[in-house]
Amino acid sequence: MRVTNGARIIAGTALLALGLAACGSESSTGGGSAAGGDQPVRMELGEPQKLFYPGDTTESEGAEVLAAIFAPLVDYDENKQVVNDVAESIKTTDNKVWTIKIKPGYTWHNGEPLIAQNYVDAWNYAADQDNAQGANGFFSRVEGWADLNPGEGKTVSAKGMKGLKAVDETTFKVALSKPFSQFKTMLGYTAFYPLPKAAFGPDGKITDAYAKQPIGQGYFKLDKPYNKGTDQTIDLTRYDKFPGEKPKFDKLQFKLYTSPETAFNDLVAGNLDVHDSLPPSAISRAKTELGERYIDAADAGVGYIGFPLQYNKIYSNVKVREAISMAIDRKTIAETVFSGTRAPADDFINPLLDGYRQGACAVCNYDPAKAKEQYAAAGGPKTLELGYNTDGPHKEWIEAVANNLRANLGVQVTVKPFEKFASILDDLDKKSYTGMFRMGWAIDYPSAENYLTPVFSTVAIKTGSNYAGWSNKQFDELLAKGDAAPTQEEGLKYYQQADDVLIKDLPYIPVYFYRTNAAFSQHIKGVKINLLNQVDWTKVEKVA
């Protein structure tokens, strides 16, 4: 998930007297114009964690790029309702067998027609454990997924999921192992993009050449291969054969930054056009100087502190985790560090979605006296480490949390910066980082279930984003009941009960609810950030 990069910390209390965030201390990491000479629309981005495999892109930076290259089966309107996009129809009579028909006229960037088999091939590839795709778990409800995931050390013998097949060139069927009323809602997520035949090599694997320069069927096509670790820009050109509403400009460029402050300075100087994760240090200035070019909007994300429970036992006592939670002054962090552009989190479900309950997390209330007493009684460790990524707006609030813990628990706290979000994710994947860690979640699709299954279910330990490695049988069973409910409304009560299990066990600590703090340059207009925290490129126009 994307987060803003750092704001000025006002030294209003001893806990927050951290000094001012350095602003503009780096030179710009952005590149020049995209190929072709026409000045592109330029957007700030952190380095994607991986190359561009749709089934292995589970973080926001890569997803932003892929959203410009691919068109999803469904989208979401301003009321968070599902609307068809590439899909002409998605039908079911029992929430178990779904028939999906795609609209005619879509072609891949190499000119080949988009066909139903492209979805079957892509989904089967992502679902196969041998391909080690990060979004594998999103297909776990499809009949036959278990055959592609027999477990570590076991051989996959199936050729694909038996519940997935193309009926004709424009129609495919998906049979789930159990009814799931929200299946259609999921289909706007990155993992459900199709793949062309050109993506696969003779061995049936997606080639590195494709992952560097994916062929999509969306608004833009990549101008050249992306060389991760060396390239500072990702350059794209509008695909004029796209059959739907097209962007009104020709070229798009993602400029990669390791400092949100540097990106903001570039935007003010006119060297960047879109910055959708303003650092806290820039928010007051953006409000004052940019006027209507500053965006402050509701956001469905949640910011956390996580614990590596699976491989560091010093956090295994829930009373220790509760004490850490009660020692955090969320209100001051939201109002002072973030200049009022965050809200204290009191649930694992964001208030924008049905299912949120105000005050659900009692141990999210600030109670330093009780925190200190409980921490001591539980034998909490004398030293703690807290990791975060510096290419997002986190330094100030992480330092504030560290100061809270030092003052309220009487412990030593080391703050460990990682230059890139990708780096901390890689270390968590490898289980090589054992400290507490900052984490955030932006929804993949508008459902309370999306705050639960991909982040905290047992299946998400190996095939999702469960970096805590937390597993709870009761939680998984409640998710299954919610999934099997005949309607989303009926399923919600089970998801809320699963949420209660999370609050009771606290594998992560909810700290704040996000708001979108973005800005755009004088060179463009019409910037809108959608529900998935991605720019709607069809609304953006260049200003002459």
Side-chain angles (χ1 to χ4, degrees):
M1 121 161 255
R2 293 181 67 82
V3 264
T4 54
N5 240 324
R8 177 174 300 167
I9 294 185
I10 301 170
T13 70
L15 295 177
L16 299 178
L18 308 175
L20 300 181
C23 192
S25 59
E26 297 182 37
S27 61
S28 169
T29 59
S33 297
D38 182 30
Q39 177 65 53
V41 171
R42 301 153 298 178
M43 179 178 175
E44 166 271 341
L45 200 72
E47 183 181 81
Q49 183 189 11
K50 301 176 181 178
L51 292 176
F52 300 123
Y53 303 86
D56 203 27
T57 298
T58 58
E59 45 75 44
S60 57
E61 314 307 280
E64 185 83 55
V65 177
L66 288 177
I69 299 171
F70 289 85
L73 284 167
V74 303
D75 205 345
Y76 312 101
D77 64 20
E78 293 184 356
N79 297 316
K80 301 182 284 292
Q81 298 301 304
V82 182
V83 292
N84 288 338
D85 195 329
V86 176
E88 183 174 275
S89 63
I90 302 175
K91 297 179 179 179
T92 184
T93 58
D94 58 2
N95 290 333
K96 186 176 181 181
V97 178
W98 299 76
T99 301
I100 301 173
K101 188 174 183 62
I102 58 176
K103 295 174 182 174
Y106 283 88
T107 58
W108 292 101
H109 296 159
N110 63 4
E112 294 179 0
L114 173 69
I115 59 175
Q117 188 65 41
N118 297 145
Y119 289 91
V120 174
D121 292 342
W123 294 12
N124 277 330
Y125 187 86
D128 190 325
Q129 72 174 27
D130 288 347
N131 298 324
Q133 300 289 282
N136 172 298
F138 282 89
F139 299 94
S140 61
R141 296 180 177 89
V142 179
E143 188 177 356
W145 174 86
D147 297 330
L148 294 180
N149 294 270
E152 189 172 352
K154 296 182 180 179
T155 302
V156 176
S157 56
K159 298 300 182 183
M161 294 181 286
K162 58 186 176 184
L164 180 63
K165 68 175 183 176
V167 177
D168 55 41
E169 290 209 338
T170 61
T171 311
F172 64 105
K173 283 193 174 184
V174 188
L176 307 182
S177 54
K178 296 178 181 178
F180 181 46
S181 64
Q182 298 176 79
F183 179 68
K184 180 178 179 178
T185 306
M186 297 177 69
L187 297 180
Y189 180 49
T190 309
F192 296 98
Y193 291 156
L195 286 171
K197 292 179 182 177
F200 301 96
D203 60 355
K205 303 290 185 182
I206 296 176
T207 66
D208 284 346
Y210 179 84
K212 289 181 177 182
Q213 190 176 11
I215 297 166
Q217 31 68 288
Y219 301 136
F220 294 95
K221 56 183 179 181
L222 276 177
D223 291 344
K224 59 183 180 180
Y226 164 63
N227 296 297
K228 178 175 163 57
T230 57
D231 287 353
Q232 296 302 304
T233 66
I234 301 170
D235 301 315
L236 306 94
T237 298
R238 185 178 63 197
Y239 181 57
D240 285 332
K241 293 182 180 179
F242 182 76
E245 183 182 2
K246 300 178 183 67
K248 301 174 180 67
F249 58 95
D250 294 332
K251 291 188 176 292
L252 173 64
Q253 182 183 77
F254 294 104
K255 298 179 70 173
L256 307 187
Y257 290 84
T258 58
S259 164
E261 289 83 5
T262 301
F264 180 70
N265 287 341
D266 272 2
L267 185 136
V268 172
N271 298 320
L272 183 70
D273 297 310
V274 182
H275 191 344
D276 71 343
S277 55
L278 293 184
S281 55
I283 290 173
S284 295
R285 183 181 171 192
K287 287 179 180 179
T288 303
E289 295 183 17
L290 301 183
E292 292 183 354
R293 293 192 286 115
Y294 168 69
I295 299 172
D296 177 37
D299 187 306
V302 185
Y304 309 107
I305 298 293
F307 301 95
L309 300 180
Q310 190 178 44
Y311 53 96
N312 191 341
K313 301 305 180 186
I314 71 169
Y315 306 111
S316 61
N317 187 340
V318 68
K319 294 300 182 182
V320 169
R321 303 196 294 275
E322 287 179 351
I324 291 172
S325 179
M326 291 186 288
I328 299 173
D329 187 356
R330 293 165 174 78
K331 186 172 186 291
T332 300
I333 289 171
E335 294 180 355
T336 306
V337 178
F338 285 112
S339 303
T341 60
R342 300 289 186 273
D346 53 1
D347 195 357
F348 280 88
I349 299 171
N350 184 289
L352 274 185
L353 275 289
D354 291 340
Y356 164 76
R357 294 162 298 164
Q358 186 174 7
C361 176
V363 294
C364 292
N365 293 324
Y366 184 49
D367 192 340
K370 184 177 180 181
K372 188 169 187 176
E373 179 183 355
Q374 181 168 313
Y375 193 82
K382 300 298 183 184
T383 61
L384 297 170
E385 183 170 276
L386 179 54
Y388 75 101
N389 54 296
T390 62
D391 61 346
H394 309 303
K395 179 179 187 293
E396 291 83 359
W397 78 268
I398 288 295
E399 291 282 7
V401 168
N403 280 350
N404 283 150
L405 302 182
R406 293 178 187 120
N408 297 331
L409 301 181
V411 297
Q412 295 181 2
V413 183
T414 300
V415 173
K416 180 177 175 59
F418 290 76
E419 184 182 26
K420 301 172 183 178
F421 189 36
S423 299
I424 194 169
L425 291 178
D426 288 343
D427 282 4
L428 289 169
D429 277 334
K430 293 183 293 187
K431 300 179 176 58
S432 61
Y433 181 65
T434 59
M436 298 185 295
F437 51 89
R438 133 319 111 177
M439 188 55 62
W441 186 253
I443 60 171
D444 305 310
Y445 46 89
S447 167
E449 178 270 337
N450 188 238
Y451 293 100
L452 308 175
T453 305
V455 193
F456 300 109
S457 67
T458 300
V459 72
I461 294 174
K462 289 189 176 180
T463 62
S465 299
N466 187 345
Y467 294 107
W470 177 77
S471 178
N472 184 288
K473 183 180 178 181
Q474 182 187 12
F475 178 81
D476 291 338
E477 289 174 345
L478 287 166
L479 290 181
K481 289 180 179 179
D483 291 353
T487 66
Q488 294 191 33
E489 292 74 21
E490 292 180 65
L492 196 58
K493 65 180 181 181
Y494 294 109
Y495 296 139
Q496 288 176 325
Q497 290 174 33
D499 185 31
D500 287 336
V501 175
L502 267 185
I503 293 167
K504 182 179 179 182
D505 221 13
L506 217 64
Y508 281 9
I509 294 171
V511 179
Y512 58 80
F513 296 128
Y514 280 96
R515 289 188 67 81
T516 295
N517 299 112
F520 55 95
S521 77
Q522 69 272 28
H523 302 304
I524 61 173
K525 63 181 180 179
V527 176
K528 293 187 181 300
I529 312 294
N530 66 23
L531 187 65
L532 304 186
N533 287 336
Q534 296 165 351
V535 177
D536 183 347
W537 295 117
T538 64
K539 301 294 189 293
V540 175
E541 296 183 58
K542 296 177 76 171
V543 176

